[in-house]
Amino acid sequence: MFLYRSTILSFKKTNNNSLYYFNSYTPIGAVMKKGLTLTAIAVTVLLSGCASDSDATKTLPLESNQSEASTQIHSIANQISQAEEKHNNAKSDELQWFATKHFQQADKALKEAKEYYAVFETDPSKAHSSTGFFSSRTNLQASEEALNQFNLSIAKAEMIREKALSTLDEAFSYRAQLQSLNVNKYYPKSNERLESQLKTLVNYIADDRAERATSGQPDLVSKQRALEVKTVTRIYLSEAKKELARLKNSNTALHAPDTLAVASTRITAAEAFIGAEPRAYGKIEEKSADAEFALKHAEHIADVVQKLKALPEKDYERHVLAFEKLLVNISKALGSDDLRDNPINQQGKLLVSLIEEQKAQSSEGEQNLQNILAQLSEEQEKVNDLEASLSDEKQANFQSGEKVKQLETKIAELNASLVAAYTIKADHAVKAEASTEANPENLEEAVTIAAAEEEQVAIEAVAEEAAEVETAPQKLTADIEPDTAS
């Protein structure tokens, strides 16, 4: 019988009770026999598993199973879409920097969820298939678990970020300031070292060692501020400092040392101001401009001095006269007399006085003009008020005229009513007389009754009309002048 070195599992246990293996030569027949036994056991286990799954699904209608699977697949698709959006936002929030470990876990979990989803994305029947030969998890369950792990890791990363920003708020404020100055353009290595130091403090927070991060913040902030001052100085004064170095190495230092010293002092003052207030950009720009002005002035003075030194003695007079001619042109432009009968330095002083006098007159004239404009504005306001009052008065007079016309019409109507009343009374008298002639016996009684009736009607009508006529003037007065009437 041939001997065979077996490599398949047997029923012999190891010392740690975890593996079964052959470690000796075994007759091939025995091996085949034991192999068949193992195969039978495996097949039995698989068949029993398949049978149990089949029994569980047979109890549900086919349409219900398909509908539920479709709903679950759709839900997974939506969750993956939301996770991808959250993953992009996490990158924008620098979660991979704040919480590197948790972000990497989230990234891995999202990839796994998408891989499991891809299995049943186009074939829903594989959603409830197991992920492996010896695994009890389905592809759907594995995808859901991976998404849950993703969300959990992102949540932890966000918590670490918020805690870091709160605990190290001063350091992150300086970090943002350095980024706004584009510090990497000027000092990339220095900024890289500070970023590394800040990352170390953030890692302390991620490891629940916030007190270590807090204690390390002051040193970092000091270095960040120093880099900020250095960067601002380079941005606003680098050109001026280069120009100062050039002038010192040229003949300017030789021909105009005092003027150049003034320019150097202004640059030093600007540097000191930046060190004290590196974010006062308006003042920094002014001081930088002053330094550049002083440098140009020093260069021009040096040029003049150098030319003077190169002039022969016979050209001194010509040079002075050229300078004096400039003063003469200025005096003419100002309308002044010729001042050349005064010393040159006195000519300059007289020109300054003249300019100040004209400036004062101009200022006074400007002030007078402003006063006149203010008075005109006040007068215009008064005119506007008068026009508004006149318009109101015209409107009131118009309304009063309309009321007068209405009252006159009413009085005319009352007068007509009185005339009508007297006419009716006369008609009744005529009728009474005619009735008397027709029946003389009842003359006295008819006259009495008719007279009484007509008299009562006339009295009532006349009294009513008279009352209206008597009150008409008072009503007219009250409508036109309410205060006077009262």
Side-chain angles (χ1 to χ4, degrees), residues 13 45 59:
K13 287 188 177 182
V45 172
T59 58

Side-chain angles (χ1 to χ4, degrees), residues 178-188 191 227-228 231:
L178 289 172
Q179 289 176 344
S180 69
L181 293 173
N182 194 15
V183 67
N184 281 328
K185 177 181 177 182
Y186 306 102
Y187 303 105
N191 187 55
L227 183 58
E228 179 186 0
T231 304

